[in-house]
Amino acid sequence: MLEIKNLSKRYDDRVVFKNLNLTVADGEILTIIGPSGIGKTTFLRILAGLTPADSGSITLDGKPLAIDGTRSGADVGVIFQDFNLFPQYSVAENIELAPKLVAKKSAQAVTQETERLLNDMDLQAQRDQYPFQLSGGQKQRVAIARALAMQPGLLAYDEPTSGLDAASTQRVTDVTKDLQQRGVTQLIVTHDLPFAEAVQGRHFDFATDVER
Amino acid sequence: MHYILDILPSLLDGLKMTLGVFGLTLIGAIPLGVVIALAMQSKLVVLRSVTNMYITIMRGTPLLLQIVFVYYGLSLANIVTLPRFEAAVFTFILNYAAYFAEIFRGGFQSIAQGQYDGARVLGFSKGKTLRYIVLPQVVKVVMPSVGNEVINLVKDSSLVYVIGLGDLMRAGNIAAARDVSLVPYLLVGALYLCLTVLLTYGMRYIEKRMNYYR
């Protein structure tokens, strides 16, 4: 479970959000909606530990997460808008790199888990391809598999449907629902309202539900 | 032909010296260049200032002067007396590291912030991000510029004559003066050309090998 209490962030004289309180239950999908430029991505970057917040607390499965931008570890899996795949590594290598080098799992465990993720994300045919050879939807599924490989307590997506065609968007919707059934807690930042409706999660409107 | 065979051994001896300076400089200057490039992006102002000053001096003064300074100057100032070869290699490493640092700095700056973010949320430490994510991409970006410097280094290595080291160029000079002939120079030119052509093909091969991704 994700618990955010009294989280505040400001840039100089601009308050991005103030005293933000939010809870996401295990296996729940929460979509953070609202127009572009309202601070959704800043919120996601704070959640991911990439940008410091000014005050407040974030707790994931009972474990407090640093909010000062110094966090290390892979508690929150992030699917970036641009995916940020590592171009010099193949699809399979992108997925197994962190479990091998960071989590230091055994080669056998890494291979098994990678195979499972490649199957789940329908990427077997692309396993030896490089990111530049993939479509937007395929890149996104690699990004999801790469994040899941570190078994994060929460999967956070930044605008997952931007730049995707209708078929790929439907695919993302299916993937999120599938992951929900497996108990993965998900938080999706999006300004794509039809997509937010389609994933059938709880909505949190950054335009109206946030104090500034 | 007979004359060529006569002078070839002395030229090949000189070539050994040239290759020695060249090889050791590359081994020392490339890693040092990476370290300096990282220091140039440090959050510590002092470190940034020191490295910037170092690069300004190294790129702003002739290499020939630097060799003379390290070999004669440091000895005259009673700081350290280095043997000729060591003095030459030391100076070449310091000089070329400055050029490589500038090239690598550009390479590091070309890597998108997203690559660092992507590594960080997967739990990669700074060291591992550098080693496994960033450096391999930087190497690909800088390869053509590094290739240029490598070719320059082959030719620059002839500057070691100034402190009396017997490299390829000096061997050619001696033979030409002794025999009053231009043939040694033609041979020296041919040998330098062979070296640079080989290196050019080598660098192109490496670039091609790294073209498996974009």
Side-chain angles (χ1 to χ4, degrees), chain A residues 18-21 33 203-212:
Chain A
K18 203 162 74 181
N19 298 326
L20 191 149
N21 290 292
I33 54 173
H203 299 331
F204 182 89
D205 192 336
F206 229 70
T208 56
D209 300 346
V210 169
E211 204 181 318
R212 286 191 177 80

Side-chain angles (χ1 to χ4, degrees), chain A residues 4-22 32-33 37-48 51-58 67 187 189 204-212:
Chain A
I4 294 171
K5 282 186 185 154
N6 298 320
L7 198 67
S8 300
K9 174 70 182 175
R10 64 186 301 156
Y11 285 118
D12 296 325
D13 54 352
R14 188 172 78 91
V15 177
V16 185
F17 50 80
K18 203 162 74 181
N19 298 326
L20 191 149
N21 290 292
L22 195 63
I32 307 260
I33 54 173
I38 202 162
K40 303 191 301 293
T41 295
T42 301
F43 168 71
L44 184 127
R45 288 183 64 85
I46 291 171
L47 191 60
T51 298
D54 299 326
S55 59
S57 70
I58 303 175
I67 58 154
L187 185 145
V189 163
F204 182 89
D205 192 336
F206 229 70
T208 56
D209 300 346
V210 169
E211 204 181 318
R212 286 191 177 80

Side-chain angles (χ1 to χ4, degrees), chain B residues 101-153:
Chain B
E102 276 292 327
I103 292 171
F104 279 109
R105 183 178 62 91
F108 280 116
Q109 283 175 350
S110 75
I111 305 300
Q113 179 60 36
Q115 291 292 299
Y116 294 91
D117 290 349
R120 214 173 133 199
V121 297
L122 287 167
F124 280 83
S125 63
K126 279 187 180 165
K128 280 183 178 154
T129 302
L130 186 68
R131 162 79 182 77
Y132 294 101
I133 311 299
V134 177
L135 257 186
Q137 296 181 49
V138 169
V139 169
K140 180 180 159 87
V141 171
V142 302
M143 215 53 201
S145 311
V146 167
N148 265 337
E149 286 304 321
V150 169
I151 303 286
N152 275 337
L153 174 59

Side-chain angles (χ1 to χ4, degrees), chain B:
Chain B
M1 192 64 195
H2 191 69
Y3 177 64
I4 292 174
L5 289 176
D6 271 353
I7 62 167
L8 204 54
S10 63
L11 293 185
L12 290 179
D13 266 349
L15 182 65
K16 267 190 229 162
M17 172 65 71
T18 296
L19 288 175
V21 172
F22 170 79
L24 290 174
T25 301
L26 276 191
I27 291 168
I30 289 181
L32 185 59
V34 173
V35 173
I36 296 168
L38 290 172
M40 287 166 88
Q41 300 173 83
S42 162
K43 284 178 187 158
L44 296 172
V45 182
V46 181
L47 198 56
R48 281 206 312 266
S49 309
V50 170
T51 48
N52 278 329
M53 197 155 62
Y54 165 78
I55 285 172
T56 305
I57 292 170
M58 282 299 158
R59 297 202 310 170
T61 57
L63 176 55
L64 190 76
L65 188 70
Q66 292 166 14
I67 298 170
V68 169
F69 178 81
V70 168
Y71 181 62
Y72 295 111
L74 294 184
S75 176
L76 284 174
N78 282 326
I79 296 171
V80 62
T81 304
L82 290 170
R84 290 172 208 275
F85 182 72
E86 281 78 353
V89 169
F90 178 67
T91 317
F92 267 85
I93 288 175
L94 288 186
N95 180 280
Y96 268 81
Y99 286 93
F100 284 133
E102 276 292 327
I103 292 171
F104 279 109
R105 183 178 62 91
F108 280 116
Q109 283 175 350
S110 75
I111 305 300
Q113 179 60 36
Q115 291 292 299
Y116 294 91
D117 290 349
R120 214 173 133 199
V121 297
L122 287 167
F124 280 83
S125 63
K126 279 187 180 165
K128 280 183 178 154
T129 302
L130 186 68
R131 162 79 182 77
Y132 294 101
I133 311 299
V134 177
L135 257 186
Q137 296 181 49
V138 169
V139 169
K140 180 180 159 87
V141 171
V142 302
M143 215 53 201
S145 311
V146 167
N148 265 337
E149 286 304 321
V150 169
I151 303 286
N152 275 337
L153 174 59
V154 174
K155 294 178 288 178
D156 272 357
S157 67
S158 64
L159 292 173
V160 298
Y161 81 89
V162 74
I163 53 172
L165 276 177
D167 75 319
L168 177 58
M169 189 66 207
R170 188 175 149 97
N173 267 333
I174 291 169
R178 183 189 59 218
D179 307 330
V180 198
S181 165
L182 282 178
V183 175
Y185 285 136
L186 285 173
L187 273 177
V188 166
L191 284 171
Y192 273 116
L193 197 60
C194 283
L195 260 185
T196 51
V197 167
L198 273 176
L199 285 168
T200 305
Y201 276 107
M203 300 300 289
R204 273 194 205 147
Y205 174 74
I206 297 172
E207 275 180 48
K208 220 171 155 183
R209 283 289 302 270
M210 289 194 295
N211 263 347
Y212 70 91
Y213 75 91
R214 276 178 228 148

Side-chain angles (χ1 to χ4, degrees), chain A:
Chain A
M1 185 164 97
L2 173 75
E3 274 182 291
I4 294 171
K5 282 186 185 154
N6 298 320
L7 198 67
S8 300
K9 174 70 182 175
R10 64 186 301 156
Y11 285 118
D12 296 325
D13 54 352
R14 188 172 78 91
V15 177
V16 185
F17 50 80
K18 203 162 74 181
N19 298 326
L20 191 149
N21 290 292
L22 195 63
T23 307
V24 189
D26 287 342
E28 188 186 13
I29 299 181
L30 179 77
T31 48
I32 307 260
I33 54 173
S36 298
I38 202 162
K40 303 191 301 293
T41 295
T42 301
F43 168 71
L44 184 127
R45 288 183 64 85
I46 291 171
L47 191 60
L50 294 169
T51 298
D54 299 326
S55 59
S57 70
I58 303 175
T59 314
L60 183 61
D61 299 330
K63 179 185 169 189
L65 302 181
I67 58 154
D68 57 358
T70 61
R71 195 187 314 160
S72 60
D75 299 289
V76 178
V78 184
I79 322 301
F80 294 95
Q81 191 171 352
D82 298 326
F83 318 118
N84 298 341
L85 299 179
F86 307 131
Q88 72 270 41
Y89 294 115
S90 69
V91 166
E93 288 167 340
N94 260 281
I95 297 169
E96 62 193 21
L97 203 63
K100 241 188 220 170
L101 299 173
V102 180
K104 298 205 159 62
K105 291 184 181 171
S106 71
Q108 197 194 357
V110 171
T111 308
Q112 271 179 6
E113 180 68 1
T114 303
E115 288 309 311
R116 190 182 66 77
L117 287 165
L118 286 169
N119 278 326
D120 287 356
M121 293 295 145
D122 195 16
L123 288 165
Q124 275 295 2
Q126 287 77 33
R127 59 174 302 134
D128 295 322
Q129 290 187 351
Y130 288 86
F132 81 95
Q133 296 168 303
L134 306 176
S135 70
Q138 288 168 339
K139 281 183 195 167
Q140 187 163 62
R141 298 206 300 282
V142 178
I144 295 171
R146 186 177 74 168
L148 285 173
M150 290 300 277
Q151 285 147 352
L154 172 80
L155 207 52
Y157 306 72
D158 189 14
E159 302 287 359
T161 58
S162 79
L164 294 193
D165 59 22
S168 298
T169 300
Q170 182 56 49
R171 194 69 183 271
V172 181
T173 312
D174 296 342
V175 168
T176 54
K177 285 181 179 172
D178 184 41
L179 290 175
Q180 186 186 23
Q181 279 173 3
R182 294 175 201 206
V184 179
T185 312
Q186 299 171 86
L187 185 145
I188 305 172
V189 163
T190 182
H191 66 265
D192 181 351
L193 285 177
F195 168 69
E197 292 298 331
V199 295
Q200 296 172 348
R202 184 161 59 93
H203 299 331
F204 182 89
D205 192 336
F206 229 70
T208 56
D209 300 346
V210 169
E211 204 181 318
R212 286 191 177 80

